[in-house]
């Protein structure tokens, strides 16, 4: 629950630093005093978009901070999943805005993105304002109410996963059909490409080998001349280097017995002689291999031209890319040949997933049908004391095509009296009746969902007297169920039933208009409720009436 609220430099608020409590509390104040400003500040804490214009004139920064007690609400998994320190007794969320337009959010002093702040805020506080009554127009809101009471979150999640798989399979099936159609239209062309690339007998690394061979054959005379010169220099009959080295070795061997230095030199030259002789023999072998064959060169160059043409035609940078394209075209051709089997297999998968969806949707329908009966009964019980003795509230469920939420269309039907036929609630209920219906729904939902704090912003619009008292009693009961309920109200009947009473007021001073909020003492409550009863001129009768209202609450 919200146990402390601090606001600094937000619109008309200079500083607000106030404690709040469990149970049912009320906030009163004249129109324009600043109640909506406080709600706006809370909205920023819950992740709403910020506007630098909301900063108090002349201030550089606005701070809004709230402390929550989470000891009863099992929220530790959220903090561990997001790597945020968890303190159940004092969870602090803070929002800071600067005049430069920057916004920062914190949870327990850890900077967090706004989406995370909103995710936590949705679990901490539910603000019900008058515009939320428009939710009764929305079919998905009505369905969500039924789902909450049905407690079918597990079944709904399972169905939505199956439905997502079904949707994905449907897209895959359509893509397969499109691909098969395109490929069938191009089958002749694909076959031509495949035959052309297959007939080319492509070999990896072939291009590099052919280019090397072409270079060698093109320069064969030059190569052969150089090899001949080298061979003659090494093994010529008159002055060959090999023979000269052998002569040198023999000469040194002849003096090695009488000249020890010659021994080491001989050993070194022996190693050189072996290497030089090996080189000479390899050159001789290469000399015999190199030969100019014009017809072979023509064949090599023709092969290169063909490979170059294929690379250009298929926009490939290598033979390996050409081979990959050939294999891909082959796969498409094979796919076309087996397309009927593949299509049938995919259709079967889609049909199976659809059958699973329908089966799981039927489970949801049964859960919802049972919950709808419970809601009808409970809403009847809740609305009769709220000044509608002849009220009828029914839930119409119809079957429609499979969608993300199942196959059920839900419509809340309402009639305030026996003479009016049941019709959609948003079409026939007055403003006051809609307010009472929404309060009854909120009270019912709050019993199924453990939400720490619920704020009602003038939900009492269009009601008065005994009906207002009944609405206050409902909100007080909600506040007694491990929950905090705060009502912003203009009705004294509701204000009197609050365990704690806060007043928002506006003062005009040297620094301009300033909005304040303070908790009232018992004596101040009497005066405030008397003013709500009689206006600015508080009469003795209004004072006595206020005392009577406050006495009734006890």
């Amino acid at each position: 629950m919200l146990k402390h609220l601090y606001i600094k430099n937000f619109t008309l608020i200079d500083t607000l630093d106030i404690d709040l409590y469990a149970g049912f509390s009320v906030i009163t104040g004249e129109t324009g005093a600043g109640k909506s400003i406080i709600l706006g500040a809370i909205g920023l804490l819950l992740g709403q978009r910020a506007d630098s214009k909301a900063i108090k004139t002349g201030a550089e920064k606005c701070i809004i901070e709230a402390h929550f007690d989470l000891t009863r609400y099992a929220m530790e998994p959220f903090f561990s999943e997001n790597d945020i320190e968890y303190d159940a007794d004092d969870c602090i969320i803070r929002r800071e805005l600067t005049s430069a337009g920057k916004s920062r959010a914190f949870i327990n002093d850890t900077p967090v993105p706004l989406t995370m702040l909103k995710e936590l805020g949705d679990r901490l506080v539910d603000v019900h304002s008058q515009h939320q009554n428009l939710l009764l127009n929305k079919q998905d809101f009505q369905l969500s109410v039924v789902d909450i009471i049905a407690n079918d979150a597990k079944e709904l999640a399972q169905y939505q996963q199956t439905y997502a798989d079904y949707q994905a399979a449907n897209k895959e099936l359509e893509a397969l059909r499109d691909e098969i159609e395109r490929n069938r239209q191009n089958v002749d062309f694909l076959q031509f490409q495949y035959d052309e690339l297959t007939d080319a007998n492509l070999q990896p690394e072939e291009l590099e080998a052919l280019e090397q061979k072409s270079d060698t054959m093109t320069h064969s005379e030059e190569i052969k001349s150089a090899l001949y010169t080298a061979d003659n220099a090494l093994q010529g009959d008159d002055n060959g280097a090999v023979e000269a080295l052998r002569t040198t070795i023999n000469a040194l061997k002849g003096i090695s017995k009488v000249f020890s230095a010659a021994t080491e030199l001989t050993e070194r030259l022996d190693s050189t002689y072996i290497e030089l002789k090996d080189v000479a023999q390899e050159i001789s072998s290469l000399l015999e291999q190199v030969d100019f064959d014009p017809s072979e060169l023509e064949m090599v160059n023709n092969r290169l031209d063909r490979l170059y043409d294929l690379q250009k035609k298929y926009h490939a940078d290598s033979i390996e890319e050409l081979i990959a394209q050939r294999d891909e075209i082959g796969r498409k051709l094979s796919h076309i040949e087996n397309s009927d089997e593949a299509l049938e297999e995919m259709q079967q998968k889609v049909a199976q997933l659809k059958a699973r969806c329908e089966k799981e949707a039927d489970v949801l329908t049964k859960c919802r049908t049972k919950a709808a009966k419970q809601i009808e009964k409970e809403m009847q019980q809740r609305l009769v004391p709220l000044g509608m003795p002849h009220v009828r509230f029914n839930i119409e469920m119809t079957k429609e095509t499979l969608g993300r939420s199942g196959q059920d269309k839900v419509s809340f039907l309402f009639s305030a009296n026996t003479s009016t036929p049941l019709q959609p609630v948003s079409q026939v209920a007055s403003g006051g009746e809609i307010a009472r219906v929404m309060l009854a729904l909120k009270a019912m939902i709050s019993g199924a969902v453990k939400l720490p704090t619920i704020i009602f912003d003038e939900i009492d619009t269009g009601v008065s007297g005994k009906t207002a008292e009944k609405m206050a009693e409902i909100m007080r009961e909600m506040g007694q169920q491990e929950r905090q309920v705060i009502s912003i109200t203009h009705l004294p009947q509701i204000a009197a039933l609050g365990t704690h009473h806060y007043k928002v007021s506006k003062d005009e001073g040297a620094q301009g208009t300033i909005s304040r909020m303070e908790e009232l003492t018992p004596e101040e409550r009497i005066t405030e409720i008397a003013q709500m009863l009689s206006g600015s001129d508080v009469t003795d009768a209004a004072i006595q009436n206020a005392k009577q209202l406050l006495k009734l609450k006890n």
Side-chain angles (χ1 to χ4, degrees):
M1 71 165 198
L2 176 60
K3 63 180 185 178
H4 189 82
L5 180 64
Y6 173 80
I7 303 173
K8 180 73 174 177
N9 296 330
F10 183 71
T11 64
L12 298 181
I13 297 175
D14 183 12
T15 302
L16 187 151
D17 195 3
I18 197 162
D19 292 324
L20 296 112
Y21 305 93
F24 179 45
S25 300
V26 295
I27 299 175
T28 60
E30 295 181 2
T31 300
K35 299 186 294 297
S36 62
I37 295 174
I38 294 170
L39 277 182
I42 293 174
L44 288 179
L45 276 178
L46 303 182
Q48 293 179 5
R49 295 186 64 181
D51 186 345
S52 59
K53 294 179 182 177
I55 299 176
K56 192 174 187 295
T57 303
E60 293 295 321
K61 185 167 73 170
C62 159
I63 299 174
I64 305 167
E65 182 176 282
H67 294 243
F68 288 86
D69 180 353
L70 307 181
T71 51
R72 298 179 177 179
Y73 300 102
M75 291 190 182
E76 187 172 3
F78 172 87
F79 291 84
S80 60
E81 288 168 9
N82 293 290
D83 195 25
I84 298 174
E85 182 181 350
Y86 178 65
D87 185 347
D89 294 321
D90 191 24
C91 171
I92 306 171
I93 62 176
R94 186 169 77 254
R95 187 88 179 271
E96 296 180 359
L97 311 178
T98 69
S99 56
K102 293 183 179 179
S103 169
R104 297 196 299 168
F106 302 85
I107 300 176
N108 290 338
D109 289 328
T110 299
V112 297
L114 199 58
T115 52
M116 190 181 298
L117 185 71
K118 187 177 188 308
E119 183 181 352
L120 179 60
D122 288 342
R123 300 186 186 190
L124 294 176
V125 181
D126 175 28
V127 179
H128 181 93
S129 57
Q130 291 183 54
H131 77 269
Q132 273 200 312
N133 291 339
L134 298 175
L135 288 173
L136 279 177
N137 293 326
K138 299 184 180 296
Q139 194 266 334
D140 57 347
F141 169 75
Q142 298 179 16
L143 181 60
S144 68
V145 170
V146 175
D147 280 331
I148 289 171
I149 302 304
N151 192 25
D152 60 6
K154 183 178 179 181
E155 290 82 1
L156 181 59
Q158 175 61 53
Y159 167 81
Q160 288 178 336
Q161 180 59 59
T162 304
Y163 182 73
D165 293 341
Y166 169 59
Q167 291 289 86
N170 255 324
K171 289 182 179 179
E172 191 177 344
L173 176 60
E174 289 305 311
L176 178 61
R177 283 174 174 155
D178 291 343
E179 182 185 0
I180 290 172
E181 181 61 27
R182 287 194 305 271
N183 288 342
R184 281 177 174 166
Q185 291 174 358
N186 298 327
V187 65
D188 292 338
F189 179 60
L190 289 171
Q191 189 64 56
F192 168 78
Q193 288 183 314
Y194 183 75
D195 292 343
E196 183 177 44
L197 291 173
T198 301
D199 292 343
N201 192 26
L202 302 170
Q203 301 296 326
E205 301 180 3
E206 178 187 12
L207 188 63
E208 293 80 2
L210 287 171
E211 287 174 336
Q212 180 63 46
K213 189 171 185 179
S214 176
D215 285 343
T216 299
M217 295 181 72
T218 301
H219 300 87
S220 61
E221 291 300 324
E222 180 184 345
I223 295 170
K224 194 164 187 177
S225 176
L227 289 173
Y228 178 80
T229 300
D231 182 62
N232 189 55
L234 290 173
Q235 299 188 98
D237 294 336
D238 297 330
N239 58 350
V242 174
E243 185 61 28
L245 185 56
R246 190 172 68 82
T247 300
T248 302
I249 293 171
N250 288 336
L252 290 174
K253 279 185 178 180
I255 63 171
S256 61
K257 290 183 180 180
V258 294
F259 186 57
S260 60
T263 302
E264 183 184 354
L265 292 171
T266 300
E267 291 174 354
R268 291 168 62 188
L269 287 171
D270 276 338
S271 176
T272 302
Y273 175 76
I274 293 170
E275 181 66 20
L276 190 62
K277 188 175 180 181
D278 185 60
V279 170
Q281 289 173 350
E282 189 169 343
I283 289 174
S284 295
S285 176
L286 290 172
L287 184 59
E288 293 176 2
Q289 294 175 19
V290 175
D291 195 13
F292 178 69
D293 184 347
S295 61
E296 185 178 0
L297 177 60
E298 183 180 6
M299 289 174 60
V300 170
N301 286 336
N302 287 341
R303 177 64 174 169
L304 283 172
D305 289 342
R306 186 179 184 190
L307 294 178
Y308 290 148
D309 288 343
L310 288 173
Q311 282 186 316
K312 183 178 180 180
K313 182 176 181 178
Y314 290 93
H315 307 288
D317 294 327
S318 66
I319 298 298
E320 286 71 22
E321 285 188 27
L322 284 174
I323 293 172
Q325 288 193 44
R326 178 200 65 197
D327 294 343
E328 174 62 17
I329 294 170
R331 184 196 69 80
K332 289 182 178 180
L333 288 170
S334 176
H335 202 53
I336 292 171
E337 291 177 4
N338 301 314
S339 59
D340 290 340
E341 293 85 349
L343 191 61
E344 184 179 353
E345 183 179 339
M346 196 65 227
Q347 287 172 333
Q348 288 178 355
K349 180 179 179 181
V350 169
Q352 289 170 357
L353 284 169
K354 183 180 181 182
R356 278 181 57 192
C357 278
E358 291 172 341
K359 184 177 180 181
E360 292 172 7
D362 285 339
V363 173
L364 281 173
T365 298
K366 290 177 182 177
C367 293
R368 290 165 174 168
T369 301
K370 183 178 179 181
K373 297 299 181 185
Q374 177 185 340
I375 294 170
E376 290 174 347
K377 181 179 179 181
E378 189 167 341
M379 287 295 288
Q380 186 86 9
Q381 293 171 346
R382 290 181 179 276
L383 290 172
V384 167
L386 291 175
M388 291 187 275
H390 305 296
V391 68
R392 286 176 293 158
F393 187 93
N394 283 39
I395 297 178
E396 181 182 70
M397 287 184 58
T398 55
K399 191 172 182 179
E400 56 182 11
T401 57
L402 291 172
R404 191 176 181 277
S405 299
Q407 60 187 359
D408 303 312
K409 180 180 178 180
V410 169
S411 181
F412 289 175
L413 303 181
F414 173 85
S415 174
N417 48 67
T418 55
S419 62
T420 304
L422 285 164
Q423 294 184 54
V425 62
S426 60
Q427 296 179 16
V428 295
S430 66
E433 289 168 344
I434 286 180
R436 283 174 274 176
V437 169
M438 285 301 293
L439 176 61
L441 285 173
K442 287 278 184 176
M444 182 177 59
I445 291 171
S446 68
V449 179
K450 281 194 172 183
L451 194 66
T453 300
I454 301 176
I455 300 175
F456 290 107
D457 180 18
E458 300 184 4
I459 195 173
D460 48 40
T461 300
V463 298
S464 60
K466 287 290 184 182
T467 300
E469 288 182 18
K470 291 296 183 181
M471 292 180 74
E473 288 172 3
I474 290 174
M475 288 186 275
R476 186 169 64 175
E477 288 173 9
M478 292 170 65
Q480 293 171 350
Q481 299 171 4
E482 297 186 1
R483 181 177 301 107
Q484 178 185 47
V485 177
I486 301 171
S487 176
I488 298 173
T489 182
H490 287 295
L491 295 181
Q493 294 90 342
I494 292 179
L497 263 69
T499 306
H500 298 273
H501 189 156
Y502 301 86
K503 181 177 180 179
V504 178
S505 59
K506 188 167 61 176
D507 297 332
E508 300 288 344
Q511 297 180 342
T513 305
I514 295 177
S515 185
R516 306 181 187 279
M517 175 175 165
E518 58 185 353
E519 184 176 2
L520 300 181
T521 63
E523 292 76 16
E524 290 170 334
R525 290 193 72 181
I526 294 172
T527 302
E528 173 68 6
I529 292 173
Q531 285 182 336
M532 295 173 74
L533 287 165
S534 64
S536 57
D537 295 329
V538 179
T539 64
D540 290 339
I543 293 288
Q544 293 304 316
N545 198 356
K547 289 180 179 179
Q548 184 65 25
L549 285 174
L550 288 167
K551 183 180 179 181
L552 288 174
K553 80 167 187 139
N554 297 317

